[in-house]
């Protein structure tokens, strides 16, 4: 892809499933160092990812690589030269799940301390791509965040002549969620076009 089509950025999907013998299935990552440096780690996969990042940098020094890793493996986004995985960014996968959970709770009961802790709790010197929701969440039977915020009124009360308080409040929350995620969720922001612009389905 880099050679033939001149791609200069790559998102490596499912990195967690590659990194561990257990593929991250039925495993709660709590952040302990033994989770990342133990017999659970699939060394061949780690070496492959290091080589892939090295090769891409040799082809184009400005190429960008992003790891979709829910485990938050230590060093994955550090340079290969110092023993890291070589990725530029990791996907911040916790915040979208948090927002989906909070969408089921009245917003007056949201705790700002826990929201800020989730958004700002990242590994030092490892850049993160923040995002508020992912299209996968809606595809697997969930709701888009906009629909969760606005409710069914979104289908009937979005016209110029409508003045639905439910929709106005929902869209205000939708905007605030994006603002705080952009501000605290990482060093870059990922926009899923349908979801992020309030498409309901």
């Amino acid at each position: 892809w880099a050679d033939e089509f001149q791609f200069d950025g790559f998102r490596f999907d499912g990195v967690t499933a590659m990194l561990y013998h257990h593929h991250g299935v039925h495993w709660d990552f709590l952040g302990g160092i033994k989770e990342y440096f133990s017999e659970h780690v699939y060394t061949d996969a780690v070496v492959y990812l290091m080589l892939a990042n090295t090769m891409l940098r040799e082809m184009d020094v400005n190429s960008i690589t992003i790891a979709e890793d829910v485990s938050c493996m230590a060093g994955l986004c550090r340079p290969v030269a110092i023993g890291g995985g070589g990725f530029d960014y990791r996907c911040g996968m916790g915040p979208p799940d948090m927002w989906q959970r909070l969408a089921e709770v009245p917003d007056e009961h949201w705790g700002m301390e826990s929201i800020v802790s989730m958004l700002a709790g990242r590994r030092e010197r490892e850049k993160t791509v923040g995002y508020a929701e992912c299209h996968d969440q809606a595809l697997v039977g969930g709701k888009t965040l906009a629909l969760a915020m606005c409710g069914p009124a979104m289908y009937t009360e979005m016209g110029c002549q409508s003045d639905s308080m439910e929709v106005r409040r929902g869209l205000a929350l939708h905007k605030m969620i994006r603002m705080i995620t952009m501000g605290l969720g990482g060093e870059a922001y990922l926009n899923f076009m349908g979801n992020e612009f309030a498409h309901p389905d």
Side-chain angles (χ1 to χ4, degrees), residues 100-171:
Q100 285 294 328
R101 283 192 308 274
L102 287 175
E104 305 300 320
V105 177
D107 56 278
E108 60 268 20
H109 298 299
W110 294 2
M112 283 305 295
E113 185 177 348
S114 63
I115 291 171
V116 170
S117 175
M118 167 59 79
L119 292 171
R122 300 186 304 278
R123 291 200 174 281
E124 191 175 338
R125 296 193 306 269
E126 293 195 43
K127 295 185 279 188
T128 300
V129 176
Y131 53 104
E133 68 178 316
C134 170
H135 59 274
D136 291 343
Q137 292 169 314
L139 291 174
V140 295
K143 299 176 185 174
T144 64
L145 204 47
L147 183 56
M149 296 288 101
C150 296
M154 186 169 192
Y155 292 109
T156 58
E157 303 296 326
M158 291 288 286
C160 295
Q161 304 302 315
S162 297
D163 191 25
S164 166
M165 185 55 132
E166 186 179 8
V167 169
R168 285 172 54 195
R169 183 179 179 85
L171 291 178

Side-chain angles (χ1 to χ4, degrees), residues 1-190:
W1 292 97
D3 187 34
E4 184 69 23
F5 301 108
Q6 305 299 304
F7 277 32
D8 61 358
F10 297 86
R11 175 181 170 266
F12 286 68
D13 193 27
V15 169
T16 306
M18 294 173 65
L19 290 173
Y20 304 97
H21 290 289
H22 53 65
H23 307 294
V25 177
H26 306 300
W27 192 273
D28 291 327
F29 292 99
L30 303 174
I33 204 73
K34 290 182 181 177
E35 293 177 321
Y36 309 120
F37 303 102
S38 70
E39 69 279 0
H40 299 297
V41 175
Y42 186 34
T43 309
D44 289 351
V46 174
V47 171
Y48 164 77
L49 293 169
M50 293 169 79
L51 287 171
N53 278 297
T54 300
M55 179 200 70
L56 288 168
R57 295 308 182 301
E58 287 176 358
M59 294 179 80
D60 180 359
V61 71
N62 295 314
S63 66
I64 294 172
T65 58
I66 302 169
E68 185 198 57
D69 170 38
V70 74
S71 75
C72 219
M73 179 180 247
L76 191 63
C77 298
R78 301 291 289 144
V80 172
I82 62 169
F87 285 94
D88 296 295
Y89 297 89
R90 74 173 72 248
C91 290
M93 299 175 73
D97 292 335
M98 173 193 69
W99 291 123
Q100 285 294 328
R101 283 192 308 274
L102 287 175
E104 305 300 320
V105 177
D107 56 278
E108 60 268 20
H109 298 299
W110 294 2
M112 283 305 295
E113 185 177 348
S114 63
I115 291 171
V116 170
S117 175
M118 167 59 79
L119 292 171
R122 300 186 304 278
R123 291 200 174 281
E124 191 175 338
R125 296 193 306 269
E126 293 195 43
K127 295 185 279 188
T128 300
V129 176
Y131 53 104
E133 68 178 316
C134 170
H135 59 274
D136 291 343
Q137 292 169 314
L139 291 174
V140 295
K143 299 176 185 174
T144 64
L145 204 47
L147 183 56
M149 296 288 101
C150 296
M154 186 169 192
Y155 292 109
T156 58
E157 303 296 326
M158 291 288 286
C160 295
Q161 304 302 315
S162 297
D163 191 25
S164 166
M165 185 55 132
E166 186 179 8
V167 169
R168 285 172 54 195
R169 183 179 179 85
L171 291 178
L173 287 168
H174 194 257
K175 292 174 186 177
M176 286 191 292
I177 286 169
R178 270 141 192 75
M179 181 186 72
I180 193 169
T181 303
M182 282 183 199
L184 295 175
E187 290 72 25
Y189 186 76
L190 178 61

